[in-house]
Amino acid sequence: MNWTDTLVKFCGEYNIPIEYLADVLSDPKVVPMIRGKAFEFSVAATLSKILNPNEWKVDKPIVNSQLGLHDTDVRVTHLQSQKVLTVECKLAKNGSYRRIPSNKLSSGYVNQVSVKCMRSRTLGTEMVEKLAPKLGVSEKVLAVHNDQYLPSNFDVVITSIGNAFYKTNSQTKEFEWNPTLQAIKFLQTINSNSIELKDFAFSCMYIAKSNDIAINHSTGVVCTRKKCDNPTNCGFIPNYPIILFEDGNKVPLLRWVSIEDSESLLTTLII
């Protein structure tokens, strides 16, 4: 079946009036979940085009979510070693683009995008008790970080920066493309293909190893949880990892690399 026949069949099976499907999907409560799930398929399709098919297999597992257990968004298998790498797909935080001063760089400014990287469900007391021994942390520590991931939950994170230039209209509640003049200048700088900025922003993806964005001494990432007893080395991934670009530079400063360079990064996890 083509996609239209599949859509008609889906609506019939779940008793969804097809004439109202667009209204259902555009509901502000529904859109974020749909967009997050759709991004997983976009990542799988993009990796399939970039990675050498003679060396890598990319697939999108369809699984039923279970509370407390982490689902795999995308799998990448290295064919020779049969090692499986797990990919977490996370969109940028809405409206998170900032151009901020930095005393450490020659330009004096950096462009910042925050990635929304947290559990969709906060762990309750019962789940904390069950998961803490499996994750190798105390119940007290997991309770403090009950919506955060550990690097062991997945191997890499892939994000699209598009959301960073969108804002929710306070009156219509609709999600709107609304970049500032500074944001437009930044996107023009990193847009090597000169395609329309809105399309470019969503197709612009970056990848990072989970260990490289975790809170520890080597990364220099600091925990902001007030009750965290080890804010420089607790080991969790912050809710909003940051991607930084020096003014005028197309390449991120630390940890993150363009998805076009994902094969090199993934290869380091096989060795």
Side-chain angles (χ1 to χ4, degrees):
M1 290 190 295
N2 59 36
W3 70 268
T4 54
D5 292 335
T6 302
L7 189 59
V8 170
K9 183 174 182 291
F10 172 83
C11 289
E13 286 181 350
Y14 294 99
N15 194 29
I16 300 171
I18 196 166
E19 64 269 28
Y20 298 117
L21 181 60
D23 298 292
V24 172
L25 298 180
S26 61
D27 186 287
K29 297 187 294 293
V30 178
V31 170
M33 180 173 57
I34 292 176
R35 294 187 65 252
K37 181 58 64 175
F39 181 55
E40 296 173 13
F41 287 89
S42 296
V43 167
T46 302
L47 286 176
S48 295
K49 293 177 182 178
I50 292 172
L51 300 179
N52 185 343
N54 296 319
E55 297 182 16
W56 305 89
K57 175 186 175 183
V58 179
D59 70 309
K60 173 76 186 77
I62 305 297
V63 294
N64 291 323
S65 179
Q66 300 181 56
L67 186 61
L69 299 179
H70 186 69
D71 297 331
T72 298
D73 292 343
V74 175
R75 278 188 306 227
V76 179
T77 305
H78 185 247
L79 297 178
Q80 183 177 354
S81 66
Q82 285 300 296
K83 182 168 183 178
V84 177
L85 301 176
T86 55
V87 180
E88 185 72 9
C89 303
K90 296 294 186 183
L91 294 168
K93 180 184 178 183
N94 294 0
S96 66
Y97 168 80
R98 299 286 186 275
R99 182 174 179 265
I100 58 177
S102 175
N103 296 327
K104 297 179 180 181
L105 299 174
S106 57
S107 69
Y109 285 87
V110 289
N111 299 277
Q112 173 181 303
V113 171
S114 300
V115 180
K116 189 176 181 180
C117 189
M118 64 185 74
R119 293 180 182 273
S120 57
R121 299 183 185 92
T122 300
L123 300 176
T125 302
E126 183 178 351
M127 194 55 63
V128 165
E129 292 175 355
K130 290 182 179 179
L131 284 181
K134 297 179 181 179
L135 296 175
V137 297
S138 70
E139 292 178 20
K140 178 183 177 181
V141 168
L142 188 56
V144 171
H145 302 277
N146 60 1
D147 64 346
Q148 291 179 278
Y149 293 117
L150 283 165
S152 57
N153 290 134
F154 41 82
D155 294 299
V156 297
V157 180
I158 293 180
T159 188
S160 158
I161 65 172
N163 267 5
F165 311 98
Y166 270 72
K167 295 179 181 177
T168 301
N169 187 301
S170 59
Q171 294 181 335
T172 66
K173 305 302 180 184
E174 293 181 351
F175 200 46
E176 297 179 347
W177 169 256
N178 190 20
T180 62
L181 291 177
Q182 287 182 342
I184 291 173
K185 183 177 180 181
F186 164 68
L187 288 171
Q188 289 172 337
T189 297
I190 65 173
N191 184 5
S192 302
N193 299 321
S194 300
I195 62 176
E196 201 273 329
L197 287 184
K198 182 179 175 181
D199 293 336
F200 168 75
F202 276 109
S203 65
C204 189
M205 301 182 195
Y206 295 92
I207 181 172
K209 300 177 188 177
S210 58
N211 283 322
D212 286 348
I213 57 174
I215 298 161
N216 58 55
H217 297 315
S218 63
T219 63
V221 180
V222 177
C223 185
T224 58
R225 295 289 164 100
K226 292 181 180 179
K227 294 184 179 180
C228 179
D229 293 331
N230 193 8
T232 60
N233 200 41
C234 66
F236 287 85
I237 294 173
N239 288 153
Y240 296 102
I242 293 172
I243 308 177
L244 292 174
F245 296 78
E246 186 175 3
D247 259 0
N249 199 330
K250 297 182 178 182
V251 180
L253 283 169
L254 296 169
R255 307 181 186 98
W256 297 86
V257 299
S258 171
I259 195 171
E260 282 76 19
D261 298 321
S262 57
E263 187 158 9
S264 296
L265 184 143
L266 293 172
T267 299
T268 65
L269 294 170
I270 299 300
I271 300 173

